[in-house]
Amino acid sequence: VWIAARECARMMTASLDQDVAEPQGDRAARNSLERNAIVGVDWGSFNIQTTYPDKIAFPNPRGMDASCRVSYVVRMADLPLVGGLFGDVPMDATVTMTIDPYKSDWKPKP
């Protein structure tokens, strides 16, 4: 769960546009879990919360923080021998990173 939160925050700090950063972070978190065969994520319990500087109040977010909280439940009931002992295990992690103060505002041509 920490890796998913880290990937989310890392991708959010790669953009200076809130409309790009938040969906980009969400997708990065989901991708890191979908490609991890070890994690038994109950996708019905998957939750992601992103915090990025508001683009209207802070049009230049350089040096500010982007934060991502990922939570989900791992169902242990399917594991032989130990599944009955642990039941469902809630997982939760929050990672905050600083948007690079020297980040360029480069945008591709349409």
Side-chain angles (χ1 to χ4, degrees), residues 14-17 20 62 102-110:
S15 177
L16 295 176
D17 186 342
V20 172
R62 291 175 181 90
Y102 303 107
K103 171 96 179 90
S104 69
D105 198 10
W106 178 83
K107 293 181 181 153
K109 293 180 181 179

Side-chain angles (χ1 to χ4, degrees), residues 52-71:
Y52 191 88
D54 181 71
K55 69 180 181 177
I56 295 171
F58 304 102
N60 179 6
R62 291 175 181 90
M64 299 181 82
D65 290 338
S67 181
C68 189
R69 179 176 183 254
V70 176
S71 60

Side-chain angles (χ1 to χ4, degrees), residues 13-89:
T13 62
S15 177
L16 295 176
D17 186 342
Q18 181 183 23
D19 293 335
V20 172
E22 289 178 335
Q24 185 169 272
D26 184 277
R27 188 73 247 158
R30 290 176 190 277
N31 284 346
S32 72
L33 292 172
E34 288 171 355
R35 290 178 171 81
N36 188 338
I38 297 171
V39 179
V41 176
D42 172 13
W43 288 102
S45 69
F46 181 81
N47 186 29
I48 186 164
Q49 297 171 332
T50 57
T51 305
Y52 191 88
D54 181 71
K55 69 180 181 177
I56 295 171
F58 304 102
N60 179 6
R62 291 175 181 90
M64 299 181 82
D65 290 338
S67 181
C68 189
R69 179 176 183 254
V70 176
S71 60
Y72 56 85
V73 171
V74 175
R75 300 212 180 273
M76 304 293 276
D78 296 336
L79 293 176
L81 300 173
V82 297
L85 296 174
F86 298 105
D88 294 343
V89 178

